[in-house]
Each structure stands twice: as C-alpha cells, then as structure tokens.
Amino acid sequence: MSANSSPLSRKEREKEQHRKDIMDAAMRLFAEQGFHAVSMQEIAAEAEFATGTLYKFFPGKRELFRAIMLDVIADITSELRPVWDSAEDPLEIIFKFLHARRTAFRKRYEYIRLYNMVGNGFGSSGDEIVDGLIAERRQEVEKNLKKQFTRGVEQGLFKPVNVDVLARLFEDFCQTIIRSEASRGEFDDETVSSIKDLFLNGILA
C-alpha cells in the first residue's frame, strides 16, 4: 500500500477476501478437472458461496481466468524485476534471472498449466488482456537481456554479436524450456545449468 492510499474499510477487506476465496477455489478445481470441465456452479459450491454471489464478482469463467492470471503475472513481475538492478557482471545477472524466473514459475506451475490449457497449448490464452500483458512483460525481459548482453560485449565478456537477435532468441529458448517443465509438472534442478552450458557459454569471448 502506498503512502498516499487510504486503508481499506472492513467491507472492502471482506470483499477482497471473498474474491481471493473464489479464485483459490477455482484454481483447485481447474487443477483437478481442467478449465473446460468446471462450471461456475461448481466453483461457487467449492468456495461456499451462492452462485449469484459468484457472478457478482465474475460474470463468467473467462473473467475469472483473467483475474487469476493478472494476479499471477503481477506477483511474478514483482519478484523478477529487482534482479536486473544488480551491479554484478552481465553473465551473473542473466544467470540469476534464470534461477529467479524458474523458481517463480516452479512455485506456480499449475497456473502455467492453466494458461496452456485455456489456449489449447498454442502459446496464447485467447484473452487479449492477459496475452497482451504477457507480451509486454516479455518485451521488458528482452529489453533487460539486451542491456546485459550489450554490457557483456562492451566489457569483452561476450563475442561481438547482434544483441537484438540474441535477446529475442535467448528469451524464446528459455520460455520454451520453462513452460514445458511447468506443463509436465516435472522439474530438473540441472535445467538452469544446462541453459547456461548450451546457450550462454557459446557466446563467451
């Protein structure tokens, strides 16, 4: 809460808790049965709310999905952004970002599976707001990667490469691996080291 914001009233706190309870209940059912198999009535029952109350918060499953994903994206973003502020050498910063992002995704693998489930595994959920925000965050990551790759080239740490292409390819490479792990729910602790060996070591000067 910012210094200029007013504390929530009791009614507002209760409303926010009810919203969270509904989202948590929905995620439990989505994880167990799949997004398309769960009805709003089942979500209401799981959350112990009347169906009418549920619809006051979320007009449908798509809106519920959107709210869940926007919260998750915000949480992941807040965890990852501080990594880029380090004054360490570029390779170490990139390596730490890989660890941090993989940890963030690993904690939330069921949400990544939900995203893939809603989009039928095509890398898009079909929700313009969610997909648009994810695209913005990926652009932000690519921008930060480009900055670190540029620093690395200038310091003689990396080979003189096209940093725009490198940042885009590296982001795509990492996303593919991490999303694949999240979809399967199987995580190998050697993954980050493998990414470093397969990709980063290849551009070292």
Side-chain angles (χ1 to χ4, degrees), residues 25 29 39-51 54:
L29 293 177
S39 68
M40 290 290 278
Q41 289 76 16
E42 289 173 314
I43 295 171
E46 177 72 15
E48 299 182 346
F49 287 105
T51 303
L54 179 65

Side-chain angles (χ1 to χ4, degrees), residues 118-173:
V118 171
N120 294 318
F122 293 111
S124 170
S125 70
D127 186 294
E128 292 185 2
I129 295 176
V130 172
D131 293 341
L133 185 56
I134 289 176
E136 287 179 13
R137 294 295 175 264
R138 290 197 63 180
Q139 289 175 357
E140 181 179 322
V141 169
E142 287 183 18
K143 179 180 178 181
N144 284 308
L145 285 170
K146 179 182 174 182
K147 179 180 178 181
Q148 297 307 321
F149 285 134
T150 300
R151 286 182 62 220
V153 171
E154 292 172 348
Q155 294 173 14
L157 179 64
F158 298 145
K159 298 174 182 177
V161 294
N162 184 320
V163 293
D164 290 292
V165 173
L166 184 61
R168 185 169 60 253
L169 288 176
F170 187 65
E171 168 63 4
D172 288 344
F173 182 70

Side-chain angles (χ1 to χ4, degrees), residues 8-9 14 27 36-38 41 46 54 59-60 64 67 83 91 104 110 114 135 147 151 154 159 162 183 186:
L8 296 176
S9 66
E14 289 178 348
M27 269 307 302
H36 300 290
V38 176
Q41 289 76 16
E46 177 72 15
L54 179 65
L64 182 48
V83 177
L91 184 61
E110 289 186 342
L114 172 63
K147 179 180 178 181
R151 286 182 62 220
E154 292 172 348
K159 298 174 182 177
N162 184 320
S183 296
E186 299 175 359

Side-chain angles (χ1 to χ4, degrees), residues 5-176:
S5 62
S6 301
L8 296 176
S9 66
R10 179 179 177 181
K11 184 175 182 179
E12 289 171 329
R13 290 197 304 272
E14 289 178 348
K15 183 177 180 180
E16 186 60 28
Q17 184 59 52
H18 290 167
R19 178 178 179 275
K20 184 179 183 302
D21 290 342
I22 292 169
M23 292 165 65
D24 288 345
M27 269 307 302
R28 288 195 298 272
L29 293 177
F30 293 155
E32 293 171 2
Q33 304 177 32
F35 177 81
H36 300 290
V38 176
S39 68
M40 290 290 278
Q41 289 76 16
E42 289 173 314
I43 295 171
E46 177 72 15
E48 299 182 346
F49 287 105
T51 303
T53 301
L54 179 65
Y55 279 108
K56 289 181 180 179
F57 285 90
F58 303 102
K61 279 200 299 181
R62 277 285 176 175
E63 289 78 11
L64 182 48
F65 163 79
R66 179 183 300 160
I68 290 171
M69 294 308 304
L70 292 183
D71 277 5
V72 170
I73 293 169
D75 288 344
I76 292 176
T77 300
S78 67
E79 291 179 15
L80 299 184
R81 275 181 175 160
V83 177
W84 301 113
D85 296 331
S86 172
E88 296 175 287
D89 73 70
L91 184 61
E92 188 64 25
I93 291 174
I94 294 170
F95 199 42
K96 284 188 174 181
F97 176 72
L98 285 175
H99 274 290
R101 178 158 65 175
R102 187 165 177 274
T103 298
F105 278 32
R106 185 172 187 168
K107 289 192 298 185
R108 302 171 177 89
Y109 79 92
E110 289 186 342
Y111 295 91
I112 312 304
R113 291 178 65 182
L114 172 63
Y115 178 85
N116 290 335
M117 188 188 306
V118 171
N120 294 318
F122 293 111
S124 170
S125 70
D127 186 294
E128 292 185 2
I129 295 176
V130 172
D131 293 341
L133 185 56
I134 289 176
E136 287 179 13
R137 294 295 175 264
R138 290 197 63 180
Q139 289 175 357
E140 181 179 322
V141 169
E142 287 183 18
K143 179 180 178 181
N144 284 308
L145 285 170
K146 179 182 174 182
K147 179 180 178 181
Q148 297 307 321
F149 285 134
T150 300
R151 286 182 62 220
V153 171
E154 292 172 348
Q155 294 173 14
L157 179 64
F158 298 145
K159 298 174 182 177
V161 294
N162 184 320
V163 293
D164 290 292
V165 173
L166 184 61
R168 185 169 60 253
L169 288 176
F170 187 65
E171 168 63 4
D172 288 344
F173 182 70
C174 296
Q175 280 283 344
T176 298

